[in-house]
Amino acid sequence: MPSARHRRAAWLAVAVLVLAGGGAATAIEYRQAKIERQANAALGGVGRRALPIMLANGCAGCHTISGVPGAQGQIGPRLDSTLSSKLYIAGVLPNSRENMIQWLRSSRELVPHTAMPSTGISDQEARDVAAYLYAMR
């Protein structure tokens, strides 16, 4: 049977591991919150408002979208953490904040033969969705 000293040392080791793991999780959460704040500021949107906008406009029917329940669509491209590093939207528009906002609102006016429907969402809603999309990690 281990001595009281050994049991204390074992508990201390467990406590250190738990705290270290918690610290790593906190660092990851802090980094993600920072990315979200930066995307919100850059786009003039609030990514946390995007989920109901995407669900109401059927985005989940065509796209697989990280963090969106039921968004397992296979028609449009997968929307995940790689989106911000893509060079083009729809293969033709330079991937910029303003192009993304316009694309989310009126894709068919920009690229007439795209399968993506023009959603007609407001400028603010498009900014919220773009902030969410660009903040994905």
Side-chain angles (χ1 to χ4, degrees):
M1 177 119 179
S3 70
R5 182 176 173 198
H6 285 103
R7 285 192 303 272
R8 278 194 306 270
W11 277 108
L12 180 60
V14 169
V16 167
L17 288 173
V18 167
L19 290 174
T26 300
I28 292 168
E29 290 169 8
Y30 174 79
R31 182 176 179 270
Q32 182 59 35
K34 181 179 177 184
I35 291 166
E36 288 173 14
R37 283 191 308 274
Q38 289 171 336
N40 289 346
L43 289 146
V46 178
R48 293 185 188 266
R49 294 190 301 221
L51 185 61
I53 298 166
M54 289 187 285
L55 292 173
N57 286 281
C59 303
C62 293
H63 297 280
T64 296
I65 310 169
S66 297
V68 177
Q72 300 298 316
Q74 301 298 310
I75 297 167
R78 181 178 183 84
L79 303 177
D80 58 20
S81 62
T82 64
L83 181 65
S84 62
S85 65
K86 301 284 184 197
L87 296 178
Y88 293 98
I89 299 167
V92 295
L93 297 172
N95 188 355
S96 70
R97 294 183 293 242
E98 289 307 315
N99 281 346
M100 177 60 78
I101 292 163
Q102 285 303 109
W103 176 254
L104 292 168
R105 296 187 72 207
S106 53
S107 54
R108 292 210 173 140
E109 281 108 37
L110 298 170
V111 181
H113 299 294
T114 184
M116 170 90 169
S118 290
T119 63
I121 61 176
S122 72
D123 183 68
Q124 186 58 59
E125 289 171 323
R127 289 176 182 282
D128 294 342
V129 172
Y132 178 89
L133 296 174
Y134 282 131
M136 289 187 296
R137 294 289 181 256

